[in-house]
Amino acid sequence: MVQSMRETERKYEVPSPADTSWLPELERVDGVEAVVDRSPEELDAVYYDTDDLRLSGSSAVLRRRTGGADAGWHLKLPLSGDSREEIRSPLTDTVPDALLDLTRSRTRGAELTPVVRIRSTRQVRHLVDADGTLRAELCVDSVRAESLRVDGRHAAWNELEVELAEDADPALLDAVEKKLRKKGIARAHSPSKLVRALDETVTTTAEASDGPDASDGPDASDGPDASDGPDGSAVRDPELAGAQVLAYVREQIRALTTLDPAVRRDRPDAVHKMRVACRRLRSCLRSYRSVLDRDATDEIRRELKWLAGELGAERDQEVLMERLSGEIEALPGELVLGPVAARLRVWNVVDSTESHLRSLDALGSRRYLDLLDSLDALVERPPLRAKAAKDARKVLARAVLKEYGRLAGRMTDALELSPGPERDVALHEARKAAKKVRYATEVARPALGNPAKRLGKRVKAVQKVLGDHQDSVVARGALRDLAVVAQTAGEAGFTWGLLYGTEQARAQNSERELPALWDLASVPGLRKKLDR
């Protein structure tokens, strides 16, 4: 059984645990009434990683710690700013399977072995308010690190951790830091004990360039040297198309890796975000074939389509349940005949469970890990074409306009059709084309600026209406199936029919709204601005 918590902390250099001359300053911080001493602690932690340090290279930490109030296995995953998610599991002799699964997108199944042992003598103090409520915890650690991979390598240092209490105002960290700076206490150079221990016990100065630097994040070593591709500058010069496209690709790969643990734990909106990352990557590789050779990217696009499809069942179920349950709740009580809400819940439990298991099966497969490896290889050795070394504004503008042309053709075809199943299919195809235009503008925005941003915003409005229309099509199919099951069980079908009619009206409203929105997305002169 694992538990999760959000940890927000900052680390500082302190010359000696015996020097506490700075402590009285913290009692002057707004919202802090007192600094309360707690019992000292002796902590002993063994940190695990792969041979090539894939976890630390992606700013993740896995340790087995004894001593203190939170002894056990701890997996720390990066969040934004000063925050990390800490996932805890009880003490066992080997890495718990649940934590192994949560590291898989980073380790790719490579074996995890002990790399560093860190022992700390910790002096704990609490910053409390006037009611005695904990606002932050201060820990002054005397740290001794020992390499478990290089015999005889040791390091020792002192550090101060300031960890925000749950529900405390993040501004407290800034206020504490201001007081510490006045006393000459500066931020630590390393983001974690592990990073510092690796720097000081595992790698020498000569070796440091060969291993990952966790402080630089997972993509610090991404990208080839100057001999790769038609022009090495194409991957570094932000004015060139290759650098722009690869930067976007790296961002989406990082999103896939980061979202994987959240999907496995069924966190809200995680499946949706991971599926969007798949689509963004796939769309980028399609739209910018002039930059990245399709002979190398088409297979990756097919695998991304597979992954998005496996995740799609769970996401589609989430969207459908939210839509239908909202419509039922909005109905007056006299129009809800029979156990409508209960039947919807039963249907959702069955379908959502099956779809989540499908997502987990995909993430647990070798096929998925091979896809992640292929994506890493793509950015490490990018298959650049000649246009990768050309002006990003021109190359990216042409790609955006090409996608826009495809969307325009599909919109014209769809709007000329009469309402009905054929038009529903055509509008769905237009929706997919609109997404491709949006994602293409995201890649191009650093180069093209406001014209790309405006086009993306206007196309997003079109896509939203097209999406609501498609959701209505899917919802009507589900409502019909639910009505059949209800009728077979001898239940009233009135409410299901009413909801079906509501969805039909929503689709008609979307179709009426669409032409005006499409006219806005086709603003005269926008093409010229993009093509400059």
Side-chain angles (χ1 to χ4, degrees), residues 25-35 126-136 168-169 171-172 175-176 179:
E25 286 292 320
L26 301 186
E27 294 183 352
R28 300 185 179 95
V29 173
D30 287 344
V32 174
E33 182 68 21
V35 179
H126 287 175
L127 300 186
V128 298
D129 62 16
D131 297 326
T133 302
L134 177 66
R135 310 315 297 162
D169 186 351
L172 179 63
V176 169
K179 297 294 185 182

Side-chain angles (χ1 to χ4, degrees), residues 36-84:
V36 181
D37 283 350
R38 311 296 296 179
S39 299
E41 298 175 344
E42 293 292 334
L43 309 176
D44 190 346
V46 174
Y47 290 75
Y48 286 68
D49 210 331
T50 62
D51 283 344
D52 53 357
L53 304 179
R54 297 180 186 183
L55 287 182
S56 59
S58 63
S59 302
V61 171
L62 176 64
R63 71 187 179 199
R64 182 186 187 275
R65 189 164 81 179
T66 57
D70 61 348
W73 287 92
H74 302 161
L75 173 63
K76 297 191 178 188
L77 301 173
L79 298 173
S80 59
D82 299 310
S83 297
R84 294 185 293 182

Side-chain angles (χ1 to χ4, degrees), residues 74-148:
H74 302 161
L75 173 63
K76 297 191 178 188
L77 301 173
L79 298 173
S80 59
D82 299 310
S83 297
R84 294 185 293 182
E85 182 180 19
E86 182 174 296
I87 304 163
R88 298 176 179 176
S89 184
L91 277 176
T92 55
D93 291 336
T94 58
V95 181
D97 288 343
L99 298 189
L100 280 176
D101 284 344
L102 299 180
T103 64
R104 206 168 298 277
S105 65
R106 291 172 164 86
T107 66
R108 311 295 161 78
E111 184 182 7
L112 290 167
T113 58
V115 293
V116 170
R117 182 183 184 186
I118 297 179
R119 286 170 286 183
S120 303
T121 299
R122 169 168 288 183
Q123 177 60 55
V124 181
R125 295 176 177 89
H126 287 175
L127 300 186
V128 298
D129 62 16
D131 297 326
T133 302
L134 177 66
R135 310 315 297 162
E137 183 175 82
L138 306 181
C139 299
V140 178
D141 293 337
S142 297
V143 184
R144 292 92 64 201
E146 172 192 359
S147 173
L148 300 180

Side-chain angles (χ1 to χ4, degrees), residues 329-361:
E329 290 174 5
L331 287 175
E334 64 270 18
L335 298 182
V336 181
L337 305 183
V340 176
R343 180 159 297 285
L344 184 66
R345 286 193 297 269
V346 170
W347 165 81
N348 182 60
V349 167
V350 173
D351 282 28
S352 61
T353 300
E354 290 179 356
S355 59
H356 184 60
L357 289 175
R358 181 175 170 181
S359 296
L360 293 180
D361 285 344

Side-chain angles (χ1 to χ4, degrees), residues 1-13:
M1 183 67 179
V2 299
Q3 295 179 321
S4 175
M5 61 176 290
R6 186 183 183 95
E7 173 188 85
T8 302
E9 69 176 21
R10 294 179 185 175
K11 294 181 181 292
Y12 301 87
E13 304 281 355

